[in-house]
Amino acid sequence: GDANPPEPPYSIVGAKLDGISPGFQMKDRQGRLYFIKPDPYEAPEIATAADVVGTRFFHALGYNTPENYIVLIDRQEITVAKEGTTNGENGKPRPMTNRDVEKVIWKLPRTKDGKYRFVASRAVDGDAIGPFRYQGTRSDDPNDLVPHEHRRELRGLHVFCAWLNHTDAKS
C-alpha cells in the first residue's frame, strides 16, 4: 500500500449510498480505480485506521491484500463522472449527481483544513470471478484441488481474524 496512492483530482464513477458503510468508486488523475469509504459518523479515524493497519498486518503474514490508503480529500477535488451511476430507490441503476455525494459527506467530520478522511482501496486489475468460498473447491478452477476447509492458510486466517477482532471476513 505504498506504491500507488490516489492522486487528485478525483472522479466519482459509482456509489453505494445506503447501509452502514456508504462509499464511492472513484478514479484518480491517472485513471486508477479505487473504492473509498469514510469512517462511521460517530467514530472518526477508527475504521479507516483499522482497515489500513489490518491490511498491512495480513500482508506481513503473507496474505494477498488490497492496496489500502488513508486519503484526505478536499470537496473541490471531487467531481461526478458523466458515466457515474448509483442504484435508485427502485434498485435499478441511475445517473449519479452531486447531491448523492453531498448526502454521504455532509455530516462527515472534517480535518482542521476542511478535508474529509477516507480509506481508499485500489481495485485489483482483471475481471472478478466471484466471491471466495471457505468450504469446498471451485468447479471452474482445475488447480483448486484441496477443499478450502482443509487449507492451512485459511485455518490460520481464522485465528488472525479473531486476534484482530476482524468480524467482517466473509466470502
Side-chain angles (χ1 to χ4, degrees), residues 32-35 64-68 121-128:
R32 298 177 294 203
L33 181 64
Y34 294 85
F35 302 97
N64 294 321
T65 61
E67 293 179 36
N68 285 352
S121 296
R122 185 163 182 234
V124 178
D125 294 331
D127 296 324

Side-chain angles (χ1 to χ4, degrees), residues 17-130:
L17 301 175
D18 54 357
I20 295 173
S21 298
F24 303 105
Q25 297 171 26
M26 74 174 190
K27 290 188 177 180
D28 74 347
R29 172 193 333 221
Q30 296 188 25
R32 298 177 294 203
L33 181 64
Y34 294 85
F35 302 97
I36 66 168
K37 61 183 178 180
D39 286 300
Y41 304 122
E42 64 281 350
E45 299 186 11
I46 292 176
T48 52
D51 205 327
V52 171
V53 170
T55 299
R56 289 177 186 226
F57 176 82
F58 284 108
H59 184 265
L61 291 170
Y63 291 95
N64 294 321
T65 61
E67 293 179 36
N68 285 352
Y69 303 92
I70 291 176
V71 291
L72 300 174
I73 299 176
D74 188 301
R75 178 63 180 99
Q76 305 308 315
E77 298 171 329
I78 303 172
T79 59
V80 176
K82 290 178 185 174
E83 70 273 14
T85 61
T86 189
N87 286 335
E89 291 182 20
N90 61 2
K92 294 182 180 179
R94 65 166 176 79
M96 204 174 144
T97 66
N98 279 319
R99 183 174 163 89
D100 295 320
V101 175
E102 295 300 328
K103 281 170 65 174
V104 172
I105 68 171
W106 76 272
K107 57 183 171 179
L108 291 179
R110 295 185 193 195
T111 61
K112 290 180 183 178
D113 58 355
K115 295 183 179 181
Y116 299 98
R117 180 180 167 119
F118 293 91
V119 65
S121 296
R122 185 163 182 234
V124 178
D125 294 331
D127 296 324
I129 59 172

